[in-house]
Amino acid sequence: MVRPYAMTNGRTRPAGLEFDLIALVVSDVQDATQLPVGPEAGLILGLCRNNALSVAEIAAETDLPLGVVRVLLGDLLTAEYIRVSRPVPPALLPDEHILQEVVNGLRAL
């Protein structure tokens, strides 16, 4: 068993931005065994190969702590092995009142 701090080289935060739990991660890497990544990062690349998974799903599937997954994802993103689609901030979502008016208008048709 490898300790979490050994997987992340003692880091507790990813390089760059934090990863939201619902951020979607996808990888186009076909063969992770040819890349200079550890076994845990290779597992993440295999799970996300042509398949978008959320950060929470990756942590559950790999049975790794969420903090470790976020650090490993930060490394993979820096190396450009993955793409991340971040969720829309709540401030940019349409107002609930506007959506209700649209629903009411559609029902009136």
Side-chain angles (χ1 to χ4, degrees):
M1 182 173 128
V2 178
R3 300 273 183 205
Y5 66 83
M7 288 183 240
T8 62
N9 294 325
R11 295 172 293 150
T12 58
R13 301 220 184 266
L17 298 175
E18 286 286 325
F19 290 91
D20 194 280
L21 286 176
I22 59 173
L24 295 177
V25 179
V26 68
S27 172
D28 296 325
V29 173
Q30 295 303 317
D31 187 13
T33 60
Q34 303 299 319
L35 300 175
V37 296
E40 294 82 11
L43 179 60
I44 291 172
L45 289 173
L47 286 172
C48 298
R49 182 180 312 125
N50 302 320
N51 182 31
L53 290 177
S54 71
V55 173
E57 290 173 313
I58 294 169
E61 289 289 327
T62 58
D63 200 28
L64 293 172
L66 184 59
V68 170
V69 170
R70 285 178 167 161
V71 170
L72 294 174
L73 288 175
D75 294 344
L76 293 172
L77 184 62
T78 300
E80 298 181 354
Y81 295 146
I82 61 171
R83 290 179 284 126
V84 179
S85 299
R86 301 192 191 283
V88 177
L92 298 179
L93 293 174
D95 184 27
E96 185 178 331
H97 175 71
I98 293 172
L99 294 176
Q100 188 61 46
E101 290 296 322
V102 169
V103 169
N104 292 340
L106 290 172
R107 285 184 182 150
L109 294 175

